[in-house]
Amino acid sequence: MNAPVTDLATTQQYMLAEEPYYRAVDAETDVYEAAYAARMPVMLKGPTGCGKTRFVEYMAWKLGKPLITVACNEDMTASDLVGRFLLDADGTRWQDGPLTIAARIGAICYLDEVVEARQDTMVVIHALTDHRRVLPLEKRGEQVTAHPDFQMVISYNPGYQSLMKDLKQSTKQRFGAMVFDYPPADVEAEIVAHESGVEAEVARKLVQVAQRSRNLKGHGLDEGMSTRLLVHAGQLITRGIPASDACRMTLVRPLTDDPDMLDTLDSAIDTVFG
Amino acid sequence: MNAPVTDLATTQQYMLAEEPYYRAVDAETDVYEAAYAARMPVMLKGPTGCGKTRFVEYMAWKLGKPLITVACNEDMTASDLVGRFLLDADGTRWQDGPLTIAARIGAICYLDEVVEARQDTMVVIHALTDHRRVLPLEKRGEQVTAHPDFQMVISYNPGYQSLMKDLKQSTKQRFGAMVFDYPPADVEAEIVAHESGVEAEVARKLVQVAQRSRNLKGHGLDEGMSTRLLVHAGQLITRGIPASDACRMTLVRPLTDDPDMLDTLDSAIDTVFG
Amino acid sequence: MNAPVTDLATTQQYMLAEEPYYRAVDAETDVYEAAYAARMPVMLKGPTGCGKTRFVEYMAWKLGKPLITVACNEDMTASDLVGRFLLDADGTRWQDGPLTIAARIGAICYLDEVVEARQDTMVVIHALTDHRRVLPLEKRGEQVTAHPDFQMVISYNPGYQSLMKDLKQSTKQRFGAMVFDYPPADVEAEIVAHESGVEAEVARKLVQVAQRSRNLKGHGLDEGMSTRLLVHAGQLITRGIPASDACRMTLVRPLTDDPDMLDTLDSAIDTVFG
Amino acid sequence: MNAPVTDLATTQQYMLAEEPYYRAVDAETDVYEAAYAARMPVMLKGPTGCGKTRFVEYMAWKLGKPLITVACNEDMTASDLVGRFLLDADGTRWQDGPLTIAARIGAICYLDEVVEARQDTMVVIHALTDHRRVLPLEKRGEQVTAHPDFQMVISYNPGYQSLMKDLKQSTKQRFGAMVFDYPPADVEAEIVAHESGVEAEVARKLVQVAQRSRNLKGHGLDEGMSTRLLVHAGQLITRGIPASDACRMTLVRPLTDDPDMLDTLDSAIDTVFG
Amino acid sequence: MNAPVTDLATTQQYMLAEEPYYRAVDAETDVYEAAYAARMPVMLKGPTGCGKTRFVEYMAWKLGKPLITVACNEDMTASDLVGRFLLDADGTRWQDGPLTIAARIGAICYLDEVVEARQDTMVVIHALTDHRRVLPLEKRGEQVTAHPDFQMVISYNPGYQSLMKDLKQSTKQRFGAMVFDYPPADVEAEIVAHESGVEAEVARKLVQVAQRSRNLKGHGLDEGMSTRLLVHAGQLITRGIPASDACRMTLVRPLTDDPDMLDTLDSAIDTVFG
Amino acid sequence: MNAPVTDLATTQQYMLAEEPYYRAVDAETDVYEAAYAARMPVMLKGPTGCGKTRFVEYMAWKLGKPLITVACNEDMTASDLVGRFLLDADGTRWQDGPLTIAARIGAICYLDEVVEARQDTMVVIHALTDHRRVLPLEKRGEQVTAHPDFQMVISYNPGYQSLMKDLKQSTKQRFGAMVFDYPPADVEAEIVAHESGVEAEVARKLVQVAQRSRNLKGHGLDEGMSTRLLVHAGQLITRGIPASDACRMTLVRPLTDDPDMLDTLDSAIDTVFG
């Protein structure tokens, strides 16, 4: 059984065609480049919608490497990552999973929301994320040595962390961790204006609303409003929906069903935009 | 492996043939059109039987877009949404799931009762509902870029919400939320009369009974009587069943088995119709 | 892929060949006919063995419609109802499930003991039981529009209802509910005599025993003795088994293993027959 | 698809070749014959090893009917009872399960230790055990009408009954129940002597030991010693193992690991045989 | 479908080629031979590593019968024991499981660590272990009558027994039980010397260490040191590892991670060997 | 069915091409060689990242034996270890699993993080790890006698041990146990300098930070910082990232999300490097 031919076309499919919009906040791109130079596995920690996915897209573009993203979920099996035999007209045919493709072509492999996956599914990445840098395909009887460009990146939101869903120490201790948060107010307003087309003043007000909600995290809200939601609000406002209605629909109603919290957040909107 | 050909016939199958009956209450159609213009994912929140499904059918008809509806359930796997390989006379053949078809043809994809699905099944929609608008078909090794007309809509009944069954923040924060409730009394009576053929006076009385039951929500009833049930009562009344019997059968017995609650609701019927 | 041909033979197989014995108690046949005229989904509520199944058989015969019965159980999947692909000499072949057949041929589809099924399996019937009257066969990519004669009927025993096993409000609120109970004493004695061949006097005594047991429901017994068990007792008596032995074997021993309850029920038999 | 041909050979395979040894205690054979005459489903209740299986074998032989026995277990699916499609050189082929075979050929179908099966697997027998006497093979689209000779028998040990494992009332109320217990001392000694070859005096002593253990049921023992174990003891004694050793090995050590209970039972042996 | 041909080669494969080393302690071989003469099912009870497996190997060799051993585990299904259909170039082919092979060729079938198996998997052996001596292959529609030489043996360690994992009485009461324990000190030392090559004096000391640990069973240790571990210690000592290091590595570290218990056991070693 | 041909190429694939870097601390290589000489199964106990995997690689290289490593996880089935039938153009084909390959070619089989596997999956190794040294392939009807060079090694981290996840005594008592810990400070600094390229002084400081964290194990940290993480820190420092930032990213953020613990560990870094 020969190793599957990995042609140029496969690699090309995972290259980012154009520069993703990314507004750097700190030295995060330098740090990432140093980690990549050591091919150190990297963990991106931070709340939902703060730009982790965008960041890894930007770095893949900047480094000129293909990027393979896998959205993790708790039904994901090791075979979903590694590959499986498919039944074909000529019997069974092996199909590489996304992790195997990434290891072969030297892509950055990004496992998004990794705590969702069963802890033990993560065991398959162990030999890829230590000095060995190999991926044993036990079902195929092949051991894939990672391409020199290959790097593993995972994202993870500490807010979800529970006793049931956490990474094992033997997984965690394979990664360097970069911590992300919502951007500073002026940077965030710049992003919201850029992405939604609202005027700077409106963008600043939207950020003010978001900041009030973020202070309520852990005090009745599981999460504050993400930058993504502010962009949503801006998009409705630029299409003529009154700011107050747009904010209720995009910033508040998706977040909570609790009547008191709804009142609190609605008042915040009225105060800022009133 | 070529992408499956998506012919006109497929699209045509999902177009609504005639205008669905929908009685607008507020500015909800304008708001939806603004959200659609931004291709913002939309969440419809509200109690069972208040018209969420009818609304999305009406909007799909109004916008002239195909509509693909998926009734969610907790055994639904990602493959049920995305597609799977089927065994054919010539080996395996890929079959797109409803979400994939919707992404290819530019349909509105409506996931009904989304809290029923396993949280993590929902992870497959993440890349479709942020700036990426792509659907990775990992098993097929294909990445589907959504058609420009594609939009995601989900429905969800906050009354069912429990610790075990709620959407994750990282899912919620991808949607604008439109809140639905039972219509105002006069509008609801108009709907009941239109759909069941009862006279206006009888329709008004049926709405009165329903409103009493809705006040009992959370005080012995899980839900109040829906508009749909009022239509059922009207249908029996127009076929000669006495109002009191028709209401017991269609409004009360389906709702509860609790003897005290049965008495309370039966008295309400007698008071209104007596 | 063409829709499966549904020939006359299929329909014929589900027609009742002869009039089932059914002894009407009240206006239940009229009410059912009005519900059927509106094609309203109907829920039959009542204790085990009180005649719900016999009633729906009788109504199907009276209306001249085919009847498809499905005994629900908690391992039933949506595919068991809707259909599945089978592997054939020429690859996969679709086989309609009983619900799909019923929708195609315009049968009354009777889901017996529906609370046994997983709540969410029931979600597949939602689009069939509201204004849409369609059944989406997602795996086949076909949407079946129900035949104009199609009607959905479910049975359900409130005595089994528990926190774990109840229908969802969004399912319940699609049905009109008809409540069944054991027949009045004289009607029940008539049924027992007719079905088992015992004399009227013996039948009346068997009903007396049953009524005592029904008063113990919730006070040591999960259920009282059903009409079916009285027929069993009668059948043994007509074959020469002493009434006291026949009643112990058919009315008491199947119901309980509790020694006190056994004594209580045995005394009831001795009192009535002694 | 034609119904499978059920040839004479199939029936012959399930006929008992010779009269099973059965020592009647009471009128149980008359009662069973009356129940069979009415084709009433029968439930055999009693402790392990008291002769339920032997009884149904004897009755099948006496009535000259084939007997199909199924040992129930909690992994048993409805398909294990009813049948399934098997993949063949020419595609799929249907294979009847034991319940279907019994219904076709008119056998007595004996479900041994029925409480082990999942409650809801039992739902498949419902239509076979009421006035309908049919078995719907939903996967095959066939409805099997039971042969006039078909009868359903189940066994069940009330000692195992727990909240988790009990039959549903809607299942129980389909059966007449025959209660079994260990035979009277002289009958049991006769059986032990007949089956093991020990002398009458030794057999009587073995029964005395057993009776002491049966008094301890619920007081440290889950079950007393069964008749089968007494036969085991007798078999070792006739092969020259000292009675005291034989009893310890066959009557005591299999029953319990509790040191106090071991002492108590060992002393009982020494008292009786000492 | 013909019964699979069971050729001489199959039987030969399960014959023990040479006499296993077994050091008899008591009359256990006579008792086993009497039980085998009656083809009585036998249960071997005793702690891990005390020689149960070796004993049954020895008896199979002594009786000149083939031996088929199955290591039980909780994922073992009935099909793993009984057999299954495999897909072949010519469709499905039946493959006998180890229990079926044993029943056909007249082997001693040894189910090792039977409490690990799901209770109900054990139900498949019921008809093989009472007067019937048959194995119904329901999926194949065949009933295998056991070869006259067939005998069932199970092993089971009462120390593991818990509420969740115990055999059912209806399973237990099919077996005669032989109780095993670690051999007397002098016999055990003889075994350790024979198997590891250490001198008699060292072997005696190793047994002394083991006996101290066995007194701690239930007082901080789940099990004492087995004979097998003493052989391990001896093997390292004969290869030049100091006795104290060898004992720590083979007798203590595998047994426990508890710091106090480690100290206690290490001191015992120092005391005995110091 | 012939045994699969195991050619030289298979063996060659598992030979280590070059000497792995391993810094011996004590007499561990001698002890291992004695255990290997007796083919004694060996258990490597110790915290994550302390060098267990590296050690077994080194020993395999030193002994000139092939090494097959399996990362265990809780979804691993016995078939994943032992092998399975795959569907081929010519029907089913057997494929050996890694354990079977190791037994055939005489490899050292290393089961990494064995507590992750289901206890009972481990039962398949029992006959390979006692005097029998055989692996029964029940599905294939073959019994593999282990190659004389075969040895079983498992790793296991006592820190993870819980009531739910521990090895059974009957598994543990098949292994000699070698205990590993982080190396002494000077040895560890030597390793860190060698692997990351930092200067000796920096390496010593990194070890100091690690030691402080290891004292917090069980007092707010599940594990202390592993040697691997120190190497990560060194790699970033040699690429110009300030030591303080490099340590935060690689030593602290991967370990914990607890704000107090983050402060404590950050101060430790500042103290050591400040």
Side-chain angles (χ1 to χ4, degrees), chain B residues 2 32 42 53 115 119 123-124 151 182 186 188 202 208 220 271:
Chain B
N2 299 317
Y32 188 94
V42 169
T53 299
V115 283
Q119 284 199 358
V123 168
V124 301
Q151 187 201 21
Y182 306 113
D186 54 339
E188 191 169 22
V202 174
Q208 283 174 42
T271 307

Side-chain angles (χ1 to χ4, degrees), chain C residues 134-169:
Chain C
V134 296
L135 176 63
L137 306 182
E138 275 143 24
K139 287 190 181 145
R140 196 175 143 78
E142 182 192 350
Q143 182 143 307
V144 178
T145 301
H147 184 288
D149 288 355
F150 171 79
Q151 187 202 21
M152 176 72 70
V153 182
I154 63 178
S155 80
Y156 139 99
N157 179 347
Y160 287 168
Q161 209 182 348
S162 73
L163 282 179
M164 292 307 292
K165 282 212 169 174
D166 194 6
L167 296 174
K168 295 188 302 176
Q169 282 289 333

Side-chain angles (χ1 to χ4, degrees), chain C residues 64-77:
Chain C
K65 303 294 171 203
L67 172 69
I68 298 185
T69 297
V70 182
C72 297
N73 65 70
E74 75 180 12
D75 299 315
M76 202 168 66
T77 65

Side-chain angles (χ1 to χ4, degrees), chain C residues 28-98:
Chain C
E28 71 263 30
T29 60
D30 295 343
V31 170
Y32 188 94
E33 284 183 305
Y36 183 77
R39 299 301 183 269
M40 184 189 302
V42 170
M43 173 195 295
L44 310 181
K45 295 171 70 167
T48 191
C50 74
K52 300 187 294 293
T53 299
R54 193 71 73 95
F55 174 69
V56 76
E57 288 176 343
Y58 176 73
M59 291 310 303
W61 177 84
K62 193 151 185 285
L63 293 164
K65 303 294 171 203
L67 172 69
I68 298 185
T69 297
V70 182
C72 297
N73 65 70
E74 75 180 12
D75 299 315
M76 202 168 66
T77 65
S79 296
D80 291 328
L81 284 177
V82 158
R84 55 167 55 84
F85 283 104
L86 291 179
L87 192 64
D88 213 339
D90 309 313
T92 46
R93 180 176 58 83
W94 173 262
Q95 184 176 58
D96 281 344

Side-chain angles (χ1 to χ4, degrees), chain F:
Chain F
M1 209 182 316
N2 298 318
V5 182
T6 307
D7 53 27
L8 210 67
T10 303
T11 303
Q12 211 51 43
Q13 176 178 1
Y14 296 105
M15 300 301 295
L16 282 101
E18 46 194 289
E19 179 174 355
Y21 172 76
Y22 181 76
R23 176 65 172 78
V25 175
D26 201 348
E28 70 264 29
T29 60
D30 296 343
V31 170
Y32 188 95
E33 285 184 304
Y36 183 78
R39 299 298 183 270
M40 183 189 303
V42 170
M43 173 194 297
L44 309 181
K45 294 171 71 167
T48 192
C50 74
K52 299 185 296 292
T53 299
R54 193 71 73 96
F55 173 70
V56 76
E57 288 177 342
Y58 176 74
M59 291 310 303
W61 177 85
K62 192 152 187 286
L63 294 163
K65 303 294 171 205
L67 172 69
I68 298 184
T69 298
V70 182
C72 297
N73 65 71
E74 73 179 15
D75 298 316
M76 203 170 65
T77 64
S79 295
D80 291 328
L81 285 176
V82 158
R84 55 167 54 83
F85 283 103
L86 291 179
L87 192 63
D88 214 339
D90 309 314
T92 46
R93 181 177 56 84
W94 173 262
Q95 184 175 58
D96 280 346
L99 182 63
T100 308
I101 296 174
R104 290 197 203 273
I105 69 174
I108 295 173
C109 184
Y110 177 50
L111 303 182
D112 193 14
E113 305 210 31
V114 80
V115 282
E116 295 305 321
R118 287 182 291 200
Q119 284 198 358
D120 300 301
T121 306
M122 290 296 97
V123 167
V124 301
I125 67 169
H126 278 192
L128 265 178
T129 51
D130 59 23
H131 66 280
R132 293 174 285 176
R133 285 180 63 89
V134 295
L135 176 62
L137 305 182
E138 275 144 23
K139 288 191 181 142
R140 195 175 143 79
E142 183 191 351
Q143 182 143 306
V144 178
T145 301
H147 185 286
D149 288 356
F150 171 79
Q151 187 202 21
M152 177 71 68
V153 183
I154 64 178
S155 81
Y156 140 98
N157 180 348
Y160 287 168
Q161 208 180 349
S162 73
L163 282 180
M164 292 308 292
K165 284 211 169 177
D166 194 6
L167 296 175
K168 294 188 301 176
Q169 282 289 333
S170 63
T171 303
K172 284 180 172 180
Q173 296 216 3
R174 288 159 190 277
F175 290 86
M178 299 182 65
V179 178
F180 284 74
D181 207 342
Y182 305 111
D186 54 338
V187 176
E188 190 168 23
E190 188 185 321
I191 294 171
V192 171
H194 176 274
E195 298 267 301
S196 73
V198 290
E199 306 202 348
E201 177 57 20
V202 175
R204 271 195 298 277
K205 286 184 174 173
L206 289 170
V207 172
Q208 284 174 41
V209 172
Q211 286 178 326
R212 297 193 180 201
S213 79
R214 291 165 191 168
N215 292 331
L216 294 168
K217 179 170 174 175
H219 306 285
L221 282 185
D222 290 333
E223 288 278 341
M225 296 163 188
S226 67
T227 310
R228 182 186 298 133
L229 291 191
L230 304 185
V231 174
H232 279 179
Q235 287 173 326
L236 288 190
I237 291 168
T238 59
R239 280 168 183 83
I241 304 295
S244 154
D245 291 353
C247 288
R248 278 168 167 77
M249 173 173 170
T250 58
L251 304 184
V252 179
R253 297 303 173 272
L255 236 67
T256 183
D257 302 312
D258 178 75
D260 292 342
M261 196 51 65
L262 290 170
D263 281 355
T264 304
L265 296 173
D266 287 352
S267 325
I269 291 166
D270 294 340
T271 307
V272 170
F273 281 95

Side-chain angles (χ1 to χ4, degrees), chain C residues 192-245:
Chain C
V192 171
H194 176 274
E195 298 266 299
S196 72
V198 287
E199 306 200 350
E201 177 58 21
V202 174
R204 270 195 298 277
K205 286 184 174 172
L206 289 170
V207 172
Q208 283 174 42
V209 173
Q211 286 178 326
R212 297 194 180 199
S213 78
R214 291 167 190 167
N215 292 331
L216 293 167
K217 179 169 174 176
H219 306 284
L221 282 186
D222 290 334
E223 288 278 341
M225 297 163 187
S226 66
T227 310
R228 182 186 297 135
L229 292 191
L230 304 185
V231 174
H232 279 177
Q235 288 173 326
L236 289 190
I237 291 168
T238 59
R239 279 168 184 84
I241 304 296
S244 152
D245 290 354

